[in-house]
Amino acid sequence: MDKESNVTFVTLDWYVEINKYRYIFFFIMFTIYILILCSNSTIVYLIWIHKNLHEPMYIFIAALLLNSVLYTTNVYPKLLIGFLSEKQVTTYSACLFQFFMFYTLGGSEVWLLAAMAYDRYVAICKPLQYQTIMRKTTVSISLIIAWLVSGCHMAVLAIASTEAKLCDFKVKGIFCNNAVYTLQCERSRLITIFGVITLLDLAILPMLFVVFTYTKIFIVSYQSCKEIRKKATETCLPHMLVLISAIVFFVYDISIARVELDFPKTARIIMTLQIVVYHPLFNPFIYGLKMKEILKHLKGLQAKFITCIKIGC
């Protein structure tokens, strides 16, 4: 511990194992970060400028991809600076802020997937009522709830953690996730109880809701004509892929922080990096290639870019 002016410093205990390869890791992670920013921002831009994409389904996709940009920006800049630094030291308050943003945006993603699932449920199971139910007000409230509920839950845990007494000052990870709890001498009852509530509200209940809605969608689609089954597959498959990966990474994040496994630290680092790589990187490709309207506009943007290069604009 180092205290100056009542500021507590903590160390990210990961750099020793990769010190020899830190410039390689920096180049790889910097490239991935740029790809994440460009790919997600491109889809959001297309949805923003094309009026035919100003529908609830595409607005939720844009919100999800914007959430991915914020999610990675919370982790990557500090991570990249760490690769170039001799010591990975940060203040405990900055660590808690990263922890707060990491799980706020992670929880928001699950809620956004739940909102997207409900939108598809109404579109396929109640098509005649779709315009009445999925109004602009409904979409706006859904987006506000997705970010507000998650933020309020995590604010309680972050504020409670600021009052906790610390017995360790080395975070076992590459960024401040729920490994910050291992720094505390004793986890308070508030953090324990509210942690369970947060787990239910931000992960389990939204996921159960998504499973329920997609079950209803597939039942209705199976009983309907071939065209409806095709529509359901085209619109729901991307959401299902993202949901499955979200569940996998959620379980992985919980287990990697709580279960002490006997394997090299480098392997743990590489495995932990998957949490902030695969999902934000592959989401825009999943939606860009699987959603016909977005793919059409992507091809148009590509054609304009090629033309621009040829004529030297």
Side-chain angles (χ1 to χ4, degrees):
M1 178 184 69
D2 182 13
K3 287 190 175 182
E4 295 178 7
S5 303
N6 294 323
V7 176
T8 302
F9 293 89
V10 296
T11 303
L12 297 171
D13 186 24
W14 57 271
Y15 74 97
V16 175
E17 296 291 329
I18 64 169
N19 192 44
K20 295 180 180 178
Y21 311 103
R22 58 180 178 170
Y23 294 111
I24 296 175
F25 272 90
F26 174 86
F27 177 76
I28 293 172
M29 297 309 297
F30 179 75
T31 302
I32 291 174
Y33 182 46
I34 295 300
L35 284 173
I36 289 173
L37 290 180
C38 293
S39 57
N40 283 275
S41 299
T42 298
I43 303 297
V44 173
Y45 171 74
L46 289 175
I47 294 173
W48 177 271
I49 65 172
H50 293 287
K51 291 185 177 181
N52 68 318
L53 298 181
H54 292 180
E55 298 178 5
M57 177 176 64
Y58 298 111
I59 292 174
F60 286 133
I61 290 175
L64 185 69
L65 300 184
L66 178 61
N67 198 78
S68 292
V69 171
L70 297 175
Y71 177 79
T72 52
T73 300
N74 176 54
V75 175
Y76 277 70
K78 184 67 175 69
L79 188 64
L80 292 170
I81 292 172
F83 284 127
L84 301 180
S85 304
E86 291 297 326
K87 292 184 179 180
Q88 284 63 41
V89 178
T90 186
T91 63
Y92 182 58
S93 58
C95 193
L96 285 180
F97 179 75
Q98 187 178 54
F99 160 82
F100 165 75
M101 292 300 298
F102 182 76
Y103 289 106
T104 293
L105 295 169
S108 297
E109 181 164 336
V110 181
W111 273 82
L112 288 171
L113 289 172
M116 294 166 71
Y118 180 69
D119 172 73
R120 292 301 84 204
Y121 167 75
V122 176
I124 295 172
C125 300
K126 299 181 179 181
L128 298 179
Q129 303 175 44
Y130 183 80
Q131 296 298 331
T132 303
I133 297 175
M134 297 305 297
R135 296 175 296 176
K136 289 184 178 180
T137 304
T138 306
V139 175
S140 299
I141 291 174
S142 299
L143 294 176
I144 292 172
I145 288 175
W147 280 300
L148 188 61
V149 169
S150 183
C152 290
H153 278 72
M154 292 312 305
V156 174
L157 293 175
I159 292 172
S161 295
T162 60
E163 303 298 326
K165 182 180 179 181
L166 304 184
C167 287
D168 192 5
F169 300 91
K170 289 186 178 180
V171 179
K172 297 178 180 178
I174 60 174
F175 55 85
C176 297
N177 59 358
N178 55 19
V180 298
Y181 291 137
T182 63
L183 304 179
Q184 301 170 8
C185 300
E186 183 179 357
R187 195 174 303 178
S188 69
R189 183 176 298 180
L190 173 62
I191 292 178
T192 300
I193 295 175
F194 205 79
V196 175
I197 295 173
T198 301
L199 180 64
L200 286 171
D201 290 348
L202 300 188
I204 296 176
L205 292 179
M207 286 182 180
L208 289 176
F209 175 77
V210 172
V211 171
F212 170 77
T213 53
Y214 279 124
T215 301
K216 294 284 290 184
I217 288 172
F218 289 133
I219 290 174
V220 171
S221 301
Y222 181 77
Q223 296 172 345
S224 303
C225 62
K226 183 178 179 180
E227 185 175 341
I228 293 179
R229 289 199 296 271
K230 183 180 179 181
K231 178 184 177 182
T233 302
E234 289 177 350
T235 59
C236 294
L237 181 59
H239 307 324
M240 288 298 295
L241 291 174
V242 174
L243 174 64
I244 291 171
S245 62
I247 293 173
V248 170
F249 291 132
F250 168 75
V251 173
Y252 177 75
D253 180 61
I254 295 297
S255 62
I256 202 68
R258 294 180 181 272
V259 179
E260 294 295 331
L261 298 177
D262 186 20
F263 56 83
K265 189 180 293 184
T266 303
R268 178 185 285 268
I269 291 169
I270 294 173
M271 292 171 66
T272 305
L273 282 173
Q274 297 177 50
I275 300 172
V276 290
V277 171
Y278 289 145
H279 223 203
L281 183 60
F282 293 142
N283 276 2
F285 293 100
I286 290 174
Y287 290 113
L289 297 177
K290 290 294 183 181
M291 307 299 285
K292 284 186 175 180
E293 288 299 317
I294 295 178
L295 180 59
K296 182 177 70 175
H297 289 298
L298 274 174
K299 289 180 178 179
L301 184 64
Q302 181 185 26
K304 289 181 180 179
F305 180 72
I306 294 173
T307 303
C308 185
I309 293 176
K310 288 181 178 179
I311 63 176
C313 60

